Amino acid sequence: MRACLRDRRLGRNFRHVGSEHEFAAAEPLDPRRQAFWDTERWSLLWLEPPEHTRIRKLVAAAFTPRSVVSLRQPCHELARELLPEGEFDLLRDYAQPYSIAVICRLLGVPTDRARDLLDWSHAMVKMYELDTSEVQAVAATKAAHEFRDYVVALAGERRSEPRDDLVTRLVEARIDGERLTDAQLVSTIIVLLNAGHEATVNTLGNGMLALLSHPDQWRRLVDGEIDPAAAVEELIRWDPPLQLFERWVLSDGVEVAGRPVPRGAKVALLFGAANRDPRVFDGPEAFDVGRANADAHIGFGGGIHVCIGAPLARIELAAALQTLLERAPGLQLQDEPRRNDAFVIWGLESLRVTR
Ligand code: HEM
């Protein structure tokens, strides 16, 4: 899996090297969904070099170790402030407001539209699933439209009244002497906002379900035997929030696991399976928060698209977990949790718990 992620002959996109005709598995982009495709056009996730290299460099400048570490304290404060009392849905009432607040703080986006940001993101990521319905595609397109208008207005505000935040830095940034276009700004800000909470929220949901269903492991954390930051790696390994990423075969002569794969084919990378690889993990089916090499998981990807937000995600998840351990050591599942109906973005519909 790592070899595939690093192999430059496998790409997230093929449109820079060939036509839809040559890449037969590609479905033509539906023009009725243009507003959605426009927001994806410059997303780091879909770009390949040299465009990817340029925009990634710009974004990476904002994710310096210093700026990410400076979010540690705010993460702890937000985690404590937002933890509800009594009975609550760990996803909707805690993980979502927390994670959106953290990414908004990093970007300098106000949180008064947090509910809209979550709704837009939830609608848009349905387009990454393998079985997107017509109704979902229509909703994703509407969300993309509204999200775009919101980001264009926000960028306009920062242009006329600059602040010390990431949105302002992106608005003012220059690549080879040229500013980002509105389309590039929109894609970049949207991918950061969406990627910045979807996976983190589902890691908390999937991870807390694993912990509360394995009370012995929860106890090891409550007793201080295991550092929450180390346990986060096992949460991601055990039940990763992102299950599938695809790559196009861009060149001839590619082999995957010893099998030839022709140019134009699509390869599915199954992260959940790789994280249970017995060649990497001893007893991979066991959930063990003290697992020594849990951080060998593939959860953050690899190669040029490796998750740019991983250092933030780690700090954010450790702060939330530590808060739950300190403030809600007796946390219990209230009823049987329900999975949502998605696969690629793998998570729960709700996780009702009692403090
Ligand atoms: C537990 C939480 C997270 C997980 C498991 C995760 C996982 C991933 C993975 C697997 C990729 C690579 C996709 C590919 O190879 O095709 C990725 C890319 C990315 N992630 Fe994350 N992510 C998480 C949190 C975050 C956060 C908090 C942010 C933002 C601050 C973020 C922003 C991004 C961006 C912008 C990319 C695209 C990078 C590129 O294509 O160059 N992620 N993430």
Side-chain angles (χ1 to χ4, degrees), residues 12 44 52 56 103 195 199 203 242 245 247 271 299-300 305 307:
R12 290 243 4 167
L44 275 177
H52 178 266
R56 173 122 184 167
I103 190 66
T203 303
L242 303 171
F245 283 99
R247 292 292 188 267
F271 281 32
F300 290 117
H305 290 283
C307 180

